[in-house]
């Protein structure tokens, strides 16, 4: 039997932010992450992200809350969902305290996180929570009937 981890060698993450420096900061923060292997690709705009999603499979999207010319995630996430992306989307922002962040599930967002909260451990937790769910080995026999 092939396990989930042997089938999926690398988790592909699309990081969408109009500031390239944020992407570089993310890459530095997660450089120590060895398990699982993570490949992060950058998109500077929602248009570029839509194009990349049409061409490749991504396991997770980390999306900056505000991307010009869109106002915020309430406009960009429906665009991502509208082209058929069904994977997890996390909205990343410097400030996630605004009241409208409480509406994130209504727009197809799976979670929200502050930019200052992202590090290797947090990304590892997000991947385990939203991308892969490893069933304990002793349960797997129950499902192979």
């Amino acid at each position: 039997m092939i396990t989930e981890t042997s089938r999926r060698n690398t988790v592909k993450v699309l990081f969408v932010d109009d500031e390239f420096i944020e992407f570089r900061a993310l890459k530095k923060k997660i450089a120590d992450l060895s398990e699982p292997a993570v490949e992060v690709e950058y998109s500077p705009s929602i248009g570029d992200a839509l194009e990349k999603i049409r061409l490749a499979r991504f396991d997770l999207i980390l999306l900056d809350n505000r991307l010009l010319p869109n106002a915020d995630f309430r406009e960009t996430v429906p665009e991502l969902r509208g082209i058929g992306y069904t994977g997890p989307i996390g909205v990343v922002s410097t400030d996630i305290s605004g009241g409208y962040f409480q509406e994130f599930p209504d727009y197809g967002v799976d979670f929200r996180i502050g930019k200052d909260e992202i590090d290797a451990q947090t990304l590892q937790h997000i991947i385990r929570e939203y991308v892969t769910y490893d069933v304990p080995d002793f349960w797997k026999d129950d499902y192979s009937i």
Side-chain angles (χ1 to χ4, degrees):
M1 174 164 44
I2 300 173
T3 64
E4 180 69 23
T5 38
S6 62
R7 270 186 292 171
R8 188 176 289 221
N9 297 334
T10 302
V11 175
K12 288 189 67 174
V13 177
L14 181 61
F15 184 73
V16 186
D17 196 310
D18 51 2
E19 294 183 36
F20 185 73
I21 192 79
E22 295 290 347
F23 173 66
R24 290 188 47 108
L26 174 69
K27 293 273 287 187
K28 279 186 148 188
K29 288 179 182 180
I30 66 169
D32 296 333
L33 186 63
S34 59
E35 186 62 34
V38 176
E39 178 184 313
V40 183
E41 200 165 317
Y42 174 71
S43 280
S45 67
I46 194 66
D48 185 66
L50 293 169
E51 197 59 37
K52 286 184 177 178
I53 293 166
R54 286 184 183 105
L55 298 173
R57 176 192 60 81
F58 291 94
D59 300 303
L60 170 67
I61 295 176
L62 296 176
L63 177 70
D64 186 24
N65 181 41
R66 296 201 182 272
L67 292 169
L68 296 176
N70 303 82
D72 56 44
F73 73 86
R74 295 174 289 185
E75 291 180 17
T76 54
V77 173
E79 288 185 56
L80 296 171
R81 296 298 187 199
I83 65 164
Y85 180 77
T86 58
I89 298 175
V91 171
V92 181
S93 183
T94 303
D95 180 13
I96 58 172
S97 65
Y100 67 95
F101 274 105
Q102 301 309 312
E103 304 169 18
F104 74 89
D106 299 338
Y107 291 90
V109 177
D110 294 283
F111 63 92
R112 65 187 190 277
I113 188 167
K115 288 183 178 180
D116 61 336
E117 296 177 281
I118 297 178
D119 60 18
Q121 283 184 307
T122 303
L123 187 59
Q124 190 174 49
H125 172 76
I126 288 168
I127 290 168
R128 286 185 181 146
E129 185 74 20
Y130 294 98
V131 177
T132 59
Y133 176 71
D134 293 328
V135 175
D137 286 335
F138 64 91
W139 289 4
K140 291 179 182 173
D141 291 339
D142 295 343
Y143 295 107
S144 59
I145 297 174

